[in-house]
Amino acid sequence: MSGKRVVITGVPGVGKTTVIDASMKRLAEEKIPYKAVNFGSCMFDTAKAEGFVEDRDQMRTLDKDIQKKLQKLAAQRIGAMEGNIIVDTHASVKTPAGYLPGLPEWVLTELHPDTIVLVETDEDQILLRRIGDESRKRDAEGSRSIVEHQQMNRAFAAAYAMMTGCTVQIVRNENFLLDHAIDAMVTVLR
Ligand code: AMP
Ligand code: MG
């Protein structure tokens, strides 16, 4: 297996995909090839084909054993990919049954991450971004519960580092400071 594997996480609405896309553009200019894979899209391909859901935002309400099965299949597909890979995913997913680990042991052993990045910002900014995003069915959540989710994600990331020896980096994606987030992300990916 070759290449660098960077797992990028963050609560819904923090702007992971935006930061990833802009960072990939910078890296392409530097001739550093990366492939970005969206873990949720990989799961959704199967979930939709099996008729479990019609929309990607319905997956987190599925029975947790089904979510885990979809998760394992996605991890196997992504784990088999070659080269430098960015995985756009979640340290934990908020489900009706509680926080579901995004990278349990059977996912980590497929992915072998070198680094886990936590994209974070202030809860009030996340709340407003979710309200403004009409393309997605984001959970209506108060700022306290966003704080809790970001705290839990740090705890999950520390556990993943313990299991794999991967490094953990926090990248802030604050309003009007996307360039700072991109600089920090590109430094991790380079
Ligand atoms: P996203 O577009 O990144 O918000 O992902 C869409 C959905 O995919 C999430 O709401 C989860 O249901 C699912 N998902 C993404 N990554 C994972 C993961 N590592 N483990 C379990 N579910 C995931
Ligand atoms: Mg996204």
Side-chain angles (χ1 to χ4, degrees):
M1 197 183 50
S2 61
K4 208 162 160 181
R5 292 157 170 272
V6 180
V7 170
I8 301 183
T9 68
V11 297
V14 76
K16 285 189 307 286
T17 310
T18 306
V19 178
I20 291 170
D21 289 348
S23 303
M24 294 265 294
K25 226 169 152 185
R26 281 255 200 106
L27 289 166
E29 284 161 17
E30 296 183 22
K31 309 256 182 289
I32 302 173
Y34 259 97
K35 185 178 156 72
V37 191
N38 188 301
F39 198 102
S41 299
C42 251
M43 285 177 60
F44 182 56
D45 287 347
T46 312
K48 199 175 175 201
E50 298 282 331
F52 293 139
V53 292
E54 279 160 17
D55 172 318
R56 60 194 288 123
D57 287 313
Q58 289 170 343
M59 288 194 293
R60 60 183 173 269
T61 61
L62 286 170
D63 178 86
K64 73 176 181 334
D65 292 325
I66 295 176
Q67 291 188 59
K68 286 193 219 171
K69 220 169 262 168
L70 295 167
Q71 187 183 48
K72 175 147 199 179
L73 283 171
Q76 284 167 344
R77 274 167 64 192
I78 297 167
M81 295 176 182
E82 299 278 340
N84 294 329
I85 294 174
I86 291 172
V87 185
D88 177 345
T89 187
H90 295 273
S92 73
V93 176
K94 221 170 213 185
T95 80
Y99 290 103
L100 182 85
L103 304 147
E105 177 266 331
W106 60 85
V107 170
L108 287 172
T109 51
E110 298 288 347
L111 296 187
H112 307 285
D114 295 290
T115 301
I116 295 181
V117 177
L118 293 157
V119 181
E120 297 184 349
T121 194
D122 299 345
E123 58 281 5
D124 52 338
Q125 296 185 2
I126 292 166
L127 205 128
L128 288 173
R129 290 177 195 175
R130 286 188 190 170
I131 292 167
D133 180 1
E134 289 176 2
S135 70
R136 296 288 300 266
K137 295 193 182 68
R138 304 293 197 191
D139 289 335
E141 227 183 331
S143 55
R144 261 179 208 240
S145 106
I146 296 173
V147 169
E148 182 188 274
H149 195 180
Q150 292 203 118
Q151 277 171 347
M152 288 299 290
N153 282 343
R154 287 191 181 194
F156 277 105
Y160 304 150
M162 285 287 298
M163 289 182 68
T164 61
C166 70
T167 55
V168 177
Q169 182 69 279
I170 295 171
V171 168
R172 302 251 325 152
N173 181 30
E174 291 175 88
N175 283 353
F176 313 114
L177 294 171
L178 179 62
D179 277 343
H180 290 214
I182 297 166
D183 287 343
M185 189 68 88
V186 168
T187 303
V188 175
L189 293 165
R190 228 180 238 134

